[in-house]
Amino acid sequence: MRIADIGGEFTLIERLCAHVPAVHKNLLAGIGDDAAVIGGIQADGSHLLVTTDMLVENSHFKCEWAAPEQIGIKSVVCNVSDIAAMGGTPTFMFVSLALPPTTEVEWAESLYRGMGRACRRYGVILAGGDTTHGAAVTINIALLGRVAPENLCLRSHARPGDLLCVTGPVGTAAAGLAMMSAGFETPDLLKEKHLTPGCRLDVSPAIAPRAHAMIDISDGLAAEVNHICKQSKTGAEIVAADIPLHPLAVEAARLTENDPLSFALSGGEDFELLFSIAPQDRQQLERRGIDVVTVGKVTDAAAGIFLRMPDGKSQALAGGYNHFS
Ligand code: ADP
Ligand code: MG
């Protein structure tokens, strides 16, 4: 049986993890959130956060398109984004590298220069790693962080009646990728969103104390809404017309003959945040000048997970990036 036959990475992860002890009294959230949450071990009462993400040459980046500095930045950002999604702040980082023996030393140094830029921006300290040889450049980063218990936002914390909000336009990175893949002259902003995205650690500390569930948008809005609903045992209704799209992403969709909505729902790596929040707390965010967009609401599980289209009809909210299909 192949991985695609069992439904992709998430079914695989479930099957694999059943073979290993994965429950402990201090492990407040393990497999299934953006980062693991370990409580009861830090002297200041905060929870320890741990996340890890891997980038593989030709699957996650192409050396013809991305300079090593850009790959370095992205490899740090996708991890910081997972810590931000928990409501936390990043602290220490470990970098494991597999490099083909033909790799230029200058290339690897530039990769680390890019990591350094991102680490300075987000307050991350390099604390170790591992280096070996391999057929393709493979970069794995494990990132630690901390979160005050009252700021912790788990995927399982959404409640029916919450609003679902995003911190910015979605589908922009996918638009950049589509333009570059099709060989179009790609606007700088779209290229940048795909090659050197930022993450939303700038707003997450203000959102986290008020939000219930939070997740970063790395596999498309549809996948992330489904993750929150599955873990919170709720339904959701997303309003297609309310999903914020960048005008350049709309134009990219026209040029590449794509639907801009599918960039937003199924395109990956926007690294904006999706969160659920009570309506009165959403208003408080607005008063504090935190710019977020409401895209739908959390409902009871029985109501299902739907996308309301501009013509008023609803369809199942499906889609999202699957690494094995
Ligand atoms: P994200 O997109 O936020 O990085 P993933 O979709 O990669 O999260 O992972 C979902 C969850 O599954 C996370 O809790 C992650 O730690 C866990 N996970 C992913 N791959 C494995 C694996 N091979 N073994 C154990 N846990 C895994
Ligand atoms: Mg994530």
Side-chain angles (χ1 to χ4, degrees):
M1 206 189 305
R2 285 169 312 170
I3 298 166
D5 300 332
I6 60 167
E9 61 177 298
F10 297 109
T11 324
L12 177 71
I13 293 167
E14 268 174 34
R15 277 175 74 144
L16 297 181
C17 294
H19 298 282
V20 180
V23 178
H24 187 277
K25 67 175 175 32
N26 295 114
L27 187 60
L28 308 181
I31 296 153
D33 220 304
D34 292 288
V37 184
I38 302 167
I41 60 168
Q42 302 199 137
D44 67 357
S46 65
H47 299 323
L48 173 66
L49 299 172
V50 187
T51 187
T52 182
D53 248 306
M54 185 150 68
L55 299 182
V56 180
E57 182 183 6
N58 295 327
S59 296
H60 302 98
F61 62 86
K62 288 193 195 308
C63 291
E64 307 96 82
W65 289 355
E69 288 88 349
Q70 293 176 315
I71 300 165
I73 291 171
K74 189 166 176 174
S75 64
V76 172
V77 165
C78 60
N79 281 283
V80 174
S81 178
D82 278 326
I83 297 291
M86 305 304 293
T89 48
T91 54
F92 297 100
M93 169 176 98
F94 298 80
V95 183
S96 297
L97 276 185
L99 298 172
T102 50
T103 307
E104 299 276 341
V105 175
E106 290 78 10
W107 188 93
E109 257 191 312
S110 298
L111 176 77
Y112 266 62
R113 213 171 287 125
M115 286 184 196
R117 269 177 56 191
C119 284
R120 275 186 281 277
R121 175 165 175 191
Y122 296 115
V124 174
I125 303 294
L126 178 64
D130 191 26
T131 307
T132 187
H133 58 89
V137 176
T138 305
I139 307 157
N140 178 261
I141 291 186
L143 181 63
L144 310 187
R146 62 149 53 92
V147 62
E150 61 274 21
N151 291 352
L152 177 65
C153 294
L154 296 181
R155 292 179 184 182
S156 57
H157 280 175
R159 302 171 200 171
D162 281 354
L163 300 175
L164 282 167
C165 303
V166 294
T167 50
V170 279
T172 326
L177 177 61
M179 288 283 276
M180 290 167 73
S181 302
F184 280 100
E185 184 66 40
T186 308
D188 285 345
L189 181 133
L190 294 187
K191 256 195 229 165
E192 195 182 303
K193 283 283 178 187
H194 171 57
L195 295 174
T196 50
C199 68
R200 301 313 308 269
L201 195 63
D202 56 332
V203 291
S204 59
I207 295 170
R210 298 172 176 84
H212 293 155
M214 187 145 67
I215 189 168
D216 71 327
I217 304 176
S218 55
D219 292 338
L221 184 63
E224 315 306 356
V225 170
N226 275 281
H227 286 318
I228 286 184
C229 289
K230 185 176 173 203
Q231 303 238 356
S232 298
K233 300 184 176 61
T234 63
E237 185 184 61
I238 299 294
V239 180
D242 292 344
I243 298 174
L245 299 168
H246 195 283
L248 287 173
V250 176
E251 177 63 4
R254 193 184 64 77
L255 289 170
T256 59
E257 297 178 9
N258 278 296
D259 177 1
L261 197 58
S262 71
F263 284 157
L265 295 175
S266 303
E269 303 190 323
D270 284 307
F271 301 116
E272 295 291 342
L273 298 168
L274 165 72
F275 61 94
S276 88
I277 188 167
Q280 63 274 21
D281 294 330
R282 159 82 176 79
Q283 281 172 3
Q284 269 191 38
L285 278 184
E286 201 154 315
R287 266 182 244 122
R288 296 195 61 197
I290 307 292
D291 206 12
V292 301
V293 181
T294 303
V295 294
K297 62 179 187 224
V298 179
T299 59
D300 288 325
I305 305 168
F306 286 104
L307 178 68
R308 182 142 50 83
M309 299 304 288
D311 63 7
K313 292 195 181 120
S314 287
Q315 60 186 57
L317 182 67
Y321 187 77
N322 186 325
H323 294 271
F324 291 96
S325 62

